[in-house]
Amino acid sequence: MENFTNETIDTTQLPRFEEVHLSSLHPRYKKVVLLNALVVSLVLAVAFGFISFAKNDELTTTSWLVIGVILALIVFLVVFFSLLAFKKKGFAFRNHDVIYRSGIIATNTMVIPYNRVQHVALHEGLVSRYFGLAKVEIFTAGGSSSDIEIPGIDKEEAENIKQLLMGKIQKQL
């Protein structure tokens, strides 16, 4: 019979994911982010326009000015936070796992070992496809949605990443 051991692990000797150099999203993805932010801003402007049109006889010049300032502030904040989020995202593929970092105020770093990956998908949105970009979606067991979505990757590189991950999945079987 084997003797049971439960040794303490020296956590200072573990590899640090924080020290890994993360790749940035493709620079063309910034245009996709800006276009998406501008579409959201346009939808908000149209909504404000309809509200203003419906309440036209009740609005004073001051009210119009306030609506204009609020709309401009919202557009600025949407664009600003979209660009900030773009700069904060990064990813890395290592020998045994994939790392993805995102977040503006609170940083979220996900590390998924390849032996947990069950499925990989490549997604191209209309705007992303125009710029030659794709999103890699990585699924693990137990979830109906992807665990990691890495947007803004050059389509050829995204296809290579998908092949790499599919190869890692096949080795496990």
Side-chain angles (χ1 to χ4, degrees), residues 85-105:
F86 169 78
K87 290 179 182 179
K88 295 280 191 166
K89 293 179 182 176
F91 63 94
F93 291 88
R94 301 191 300 178
N95 288 335
H96 303 287
D97 56 30
V98 58
I99 301 173
Y100 180 64
R101 183 190 66 214
S102 63
I104 299 172
I105 296 169

Side-chain angles (χ1 to χ4, degrees), residues 25-39:
L25 303 182
H26 198 284
R28 287 192 308 254
Y29 188 64
K30 188 183 286 188
K31 294 176 184 175
V32 174
V33 168
L34 284 173
L35 279 173
N36 288 338
L38 291 176
V39 166

